[in-house]
Each structure stands twice: as C-alpha cells, then as structure tokens.
Amino acid sequence: IFSRVRAFLHDSGHSNVHWPLAALHAARIINIEPRRSPTGEMLPSPYNLVKHRKPNLIKLHLWGCQVSIDTLPNKREHSKLSARAEIGYYMGAARLRRGDIVFLPEPGDKTLSRGGYRVSRTLVFRENITPRSITEASVTPTDDKLPSLTPSEPVQHIPYGATPDDADEEEAMLRAVCC
C-alpha cells in the first residue's frame, strides 16, 4: 500500500499531510484488482467476493487531480455573475457517505498543506491537471526555444464562410478598384 501512497503523492505533487487519504485510495484500488494464485490461475478480486459483481471503474479517478466543486450557498457572493464553483483536489471516495472527498486549499497556500476537506457528489474532474503539472507548466522556456511570432508569409484574412478561392477573387477585385 505504501509504495502506491508514495507514488500518488509524488505524481500529484501534494504534500505528505494527505498520506492517510492516499492510503485509503490505494487500498480501494488493491481491493478491486484481480489476484493470481501461486499456480498462476486468476482469482476474483476481494470486491467480487464480497459484492458478487464486478466493480464500476467509471467511478475510479486519478488521486490528487483538480476538480471543480459547487460553492456552498452561504459562501457565495450575492452577484449574478459571481463564481458558482471552487477549485479543489480529488482525495478519493468517501467511505461513510455517498460522494467524493475534495481538498480545498486556503487561498495563497503554495504548499497545499493547509485547507479543508469536503464531501460532494457533484464534481467536474480535470484528470490531466495536478499541482505538479501546474508547476511544471509554469517553468519559463529559454529564449532559444521560443517560437517566432512574426509570420514568414503575409497572413490572408478570409471572411467567415468563404473559401480561399473567394478570398483571392475578392483581393483581385480590390486591386482593380484601388489601382
């Protein structure tokens, strides 16, 4: 279990204070994996033995990924255009309630070690975004790797719905009128 906990914490970029929730998520994954007997025969997973059915893998998400969670009504601003969702991080499925555990970091906390947890049923997952992927993307490239912003050939503006042939005819007409 702890090899997976270390992998979750390292891969996601979260601090070590979240290791208990990572351990619960690792145990959940281990319990739904099928086993092999010493002879090499496939055995049913512990989940199959207890529930007598296959696990629903759609509900299995990347630990530590970014999620959007509905803002509680008492914490919302009373403007029509104010935010209705908060950004948090997925910490696994809740054990005693229906829903998933979300870590909501305090504003300005760069270490992601201070904040609160909330259980919610309605989450929007962004499994390609973790704290580690955010910090790796924020590294600025060196000047020699920056792409050239000047086009090598003039940009041709084509009106919406027109084809390049229509644009060439329009350009020819403008040249005839102007010159």
Side-chain angles (χ1 to χ4, degrees):
I1 289 180
F2 277 96
S3 62
R4 292 183 188 215
V5 169
R6 280 189 292 274
F8 290 156
L9 291 171
H10 177 73
D11 187 47
S12 68
H14 283 283
S15 66
N16 292 340
V17 298
H18 303 295
W19 75 265
L21 293 170
L24 289 174
H25 191 69
R28 181 177 179 216
I29 290 174
I30 288 170
N31 284 333
I32 62 174
E33 288 178 340
R35 307 271 192 261
R36 284 197 183 270
S37 70
T39 61
E41 180 185 350
M42 290 299 292
L43 300 173
S45 69
Y47 184 92
N48 289 3
L49 293 174
V50 172
K51 302 273 187 171
H52 303 291
R53 60 187 162 116
K54 292 182 180 179
N56 185 358
L57 298 180
I58 292 175
K59 296 180 181 180
L60 190 64
H61 297 283
L62 179 66
W63 189 89
C65 70
Q66 194 178 72
V67 295
S68 295
I69 182 173
D70 290 336
T71 305
L72 294 174
N74 59 351
K75 292 190 176 186
R76 288 183 188 159
E77 295 177 20
H78 296 290
S79 168
K80 285 185 179 182
L81 301 177
S82 64
R84 297 285 193 242
E86 296 177 79
I87 301 297
Y89 297 96
Y90 176 71
M91 295 285 138
R95 292 178 49 135
L96 302 176
R97 293 175 53 189
R98 289 182 116 182
D100 297 305
I101 302 170
V102 177
F103 173 67
L104 298 167
E106 289 181 0
D109 181 23
K110 301 289 185 195
T111 62
L112 295 175
S113 59
R114 292 189 313 255
Y117 297 99
R118 204 164 95 199
V119 176
S120 177
R121 291 186 193 180
T122 56
L123 301 176
V124 176
F125 288 88
R126 295 183 181 93
E127 293 189 354
N128 58 341
I129 302 176
T130 62
R132 184 171 183 198
S133 68
I134 292 170
T135 56
E136 288 175 355
S138 67
V139 175
T140 57
T142 58
D143 291 337
D144 60 340
K145 293 181 182 177
L146 289 175
S148 172
L149 297 178
T150 57
S152 57
E153 54 187 55
V155 178
Q156 182 180 15
H157 296 284
I158 301 172
Y160 179 76
T163 64
D165 295 333
D166 295 340
D168 291 338
E169 290 174 12
E170 185 178 346
E171 186 176 332
M173 286 177 29
L174 287 174
R175 284 187 187 157
V177 171
C178 296
C179 302

